[in-house]
Amino acid sequence: MRIPLSWLREYAQVPADATAEDVMADLVKVGLEEEDVHRPTDSISGPIVVGQVLSLVKEPQSNGKTINWCQVRVVPEGQQQTLTHEGIDPSGVQGIVCGAHNFVEGDKVVVTLPGAVLPGDFAISARKTYGHLSAGMIASVRELGIGDDHDGILVLSTLGLDPEVGSDAMELLGLYDQAAEINVTPDRSYCFSIRGVAREYAHATGTSFTDPAAGITVPAASGPGYPVRIADDAGAYAAPGCDRFVARTVTGVDASRPTPPWMASRLRLAGMRSISLVVDISNYVMLELGQPLHFYDADALRGDIVVRRATAGEQLQTLDEKVRTLHEQDVVIADDRGPIGVAGVMGGAETEVSSSTTTVLIEAAHFSPVAIARSRRRHKLPSEASKRFERGVDWEVADEAAQRAVDLLVELAGGTAEDTATDVGTRPEPAVIDLPEGYASRLIGVDYTAEQVRTALEDLGATVAEVPGALRVTAPSWRPDLRIREDLVEEIARLNGYEQIPSTLPVAPPGRGLTRVQQQRRRVLQGLADAGLTEVLSYPFVSATQNNTFGTATAGEEVAAVKLANPLSAEFGFLRTSILPGLLDTARRNLSRGFRDLALYEAGLVYLPGDGALGSAEIPPLGVRPTDEVLDGLDAGLPHQPQHIGAVLFGHDSAPAAGSTPQPYDWSSALDVARLIGDMLGVELVIAQGSHQAFHPGRTAALSLRTGEHVGHAGELHPKLLAELDLPARTVAMEINADALFEAAADLVVARPLSTYPLSTQDVALVVDRDVVAGDVLETLRLGAGELLEDVALFDVYQGPGIEEGKKSLAFGLRFRAADRTLTADEASASRAAAVAAAAEKFGAVQR
């Protein structure tokens, strides 16, 4: 919201020398956020004066253009020029070349004299052009930065002005004014008006506030005005879309009259374009009082006005000249022909006010925030009116706003106010809240006195009454956000000053902390970071192709996925069933920016719909806690959301350095990441040859628990997939179901005692069939060696000369140790022999 300071000064005691920065600094004290400063003098400077055209000679040029050689008086007749900048004639008459033709001798215009600077850093100086020394410029509204019209220069009589020659045109056009821009949070909708901001400025500075609505006298109506009927019984949660509708009529309006400069200047500084007098009056009242208005050409209406819900298939051409198909939940303003406006959002073209309008019907209504917000989103039709209605508008100010518009139409457009009025509907009941004695002090931690509490509430505009043990507070109509006692406490703290709240750290209650799963998750993520991987976060939105590629190991199988009702992008319309698509997109983005060595990981949820229906048949009403049965039904409509951890690696594990050779990442690197996760949780992963459509056919490991539950894959990604994604060859990846590991992990991981006795190491090479899985042989050796075996590891696989065709040699290193003695060589050899015998029996292994 932009606040012109000249406008704010009418209702709040803003010092004459205060700048926009000063005003924002005061408003910050009461919780409003500063945004920007808008000051025309930052881009325009004088001398810019009112001039009168004394003579105008048309001179055709060889290029086919005709210019005007003008003599323009820029000081009152009989006076000498006091400005001395180079190019300014001391006689007070300037010779100026002008290419526009919309003015005549005697017209008063805006003259930018040499030394002036116009928007765009356009400096004015005397210069030779078309055979004349042109000392200045006769300006258009676009050149002055006050409008878009560039068809001709600004003739002041078209604005209804007849100022003295030589007077300051910048002051005349309001260019010395400035505006402070603030950010209005959704709960402070009343600050979308000068009225609301002036009230907050008075709170911040302790000065008085003059309510502009209180200064408007609404005369008693002589009878009913234009017939209006509210017929809305189809609102969401039984809430009517419109509960009050005020209408007034003004006849004899001259809609062709110009908007006075003071109004146009304020609208411009407030961020709104001056359109026409009647439209500008509507916007001016909205900005001043916060009540959006809509003006109808009363002669274009057909029959009574009805506020109702749209029917299926109805259409409306709105003011932006687009034909819109209406929804059954849209609240519309209709007459006998059908809808003539989307209530609170935008009016219809058929009843639009034009320059030929003579009778204006003024609408000042109060609409449901929910209904307006849904219509605005449904039709993608943001407007200044909907921005206010969907946050909440003062339902009591409708008749004052309508009267303010009537007064301005009478004063500025020459209209005549009809003494009848329309006011239908029922005003909402204000919220009544009981605030227990001392509650604000207990909640905030500041010892507020009873007087401080009562004063703060009354300053808000609330009505305060004493009841036993509490204050009964009736919230003002312009504060629909005040619903519960905590809302009142927040206002008490705000108006008494946030700086009074002590900075005290609360003492954590005993017996609480991170849950077991939270501790496990933190341990794993920190461990991966310590191992040199970089954590990233990616969007959970993916395409159907990505889900079908990564969400199942079998090619050609379609994966069940959660489809988004309103995706950010049509391409990515599903929730992910695997964490790898987002990781690979991140890796590709970093690769395109020059990163050749990457090790990334991500932990997040995947979404796996079951056989049941997703979602809920009904949306619970707002403002009331749903029952346990309703919450259970909502939970049942959610997909299964396990937490997965994924990693993607390519390039080398380190940068080149003296004495260090970087090692390239390969399939074993991805396997090491999975093993690391298992080790940090104390969960043993069973690794076996696996297959997955997204991974290399021969370089993929399947990850399982000892129970046989499959938990993930690790290995090198498929070459075709890497080519499609423009990722380096040999890119490796890993994905594991973290929830399954968390559940399998012991509550307490107990470290094995360290033996002080020496280690005995023996190696064995076994020849087995080529299709025998090395991991199965290793597990057999582990079981066959007995309790003296401390560890066994595969360190070589060989196929080639010396090995029979169809066979392979697997070399294992076995470590033996006893907990209570030093092993003899015979004991270690006996355990080794037992292990070999077990492998021979199960796989036909022959010792090499």
Side-chain angles (χ1 to χ4, degrees), residues 2-39:
R2 297 183 184 182
I3 314 298
L5 265 56
S6 64
W7 206 348
L8 183 64
R9 286 190 176 98
E10 291 189 9
Y11 307 114
Q13 294 181 339
V14 182
D17 60 349
T19 65
E21 290 86 351
D22 297 331
V23 170
M24 289 194 296
D26 288 323
L27 292 175
V28 165
K29 298 176 185 177
V30 288
L32 295 171
E33 300 175 9
E34 57 183 359
E35 285 288 330
D36 202 357
V37 171
H38 301 272
R39 194 166 17 233

Side-chain angles (χ1 to χ4, degrees), residues 249-274:
T249 302
V250 179
T251 61
V253 170
D254 182 0
S256 64
R257 288 191 183 184
T259 300
W262 60 267
M263 179 179 285
S265 171
R266 287 182 174 180
L267 289 173
R268 183 174 63 253
L269 269 178
M272 302 190 77
R273 183 169 57 91
S274 177

Side-chain angles (χ1 to χ4, degrees), residues 82-232:
T82 59
L83 300 174
T84 58
H85 193 279
E86 182 180 355
I88 297 181
D89 196 307
S91 69
V93 177
Q94 299 289 124
I96 300 175
V97 172
C98 182
H101 301 283
N102 65 318
F103 64 103
V104 296
E105 294 178 0
D107 280 345
K108 291 183 178 180
V109 294
V110 175
V111 180
T112 57
L113 295 174
V117 178
L118 296 181
D121 201 24
F122 179 42
I124 303 300
S125 61
R127 62 190 181 92
K128 192 75 176 289
T129 180
Y130 294 108
H132 298 283
L133 181 65
S134 181
M137 186 175 75
I138 306 175
S140 69
V141 293
R142 177 183 287 183
E143 289 162 343
L144 293 169
I146 61 174
D148 297 327
D149 185 10
H150 196 56
D151 294 335
I153 58 98
L154 173 58
V155 178
L156 293 175
S157 61
T158 62
L159 300 181
L161 299 175
D162 186 19
E164 182 182 9
V165 172
S167 58
D168 190 343
M170 290 182 63
E171 182 176 359
L172 180 71
L173 299 174
L175 295 176
Y176 290 126
D177 201 358
Q178 54 186 300
E181 184 174 359
I182 58 172
N183 179 38
V184 179
T185 54
D187 61 329
R188 307 279 290 279
S189 59
Y190 62 97
C191 287
F192 276 119
S193 66
I194 301 297
R195 179 194 188 203
V197 175
R199 179 181 280 109
E200 289 301 311
Y201 184 83
H203 293 332
T205 57
T207 55
S208 62
F209 160 67
T210 302
D211 189 348
I216 299 171
T217 300
V218 181
S222 63
Y226 198 94
V228 176
R229 183 164 46 89
I230 298 176
D232 175 23

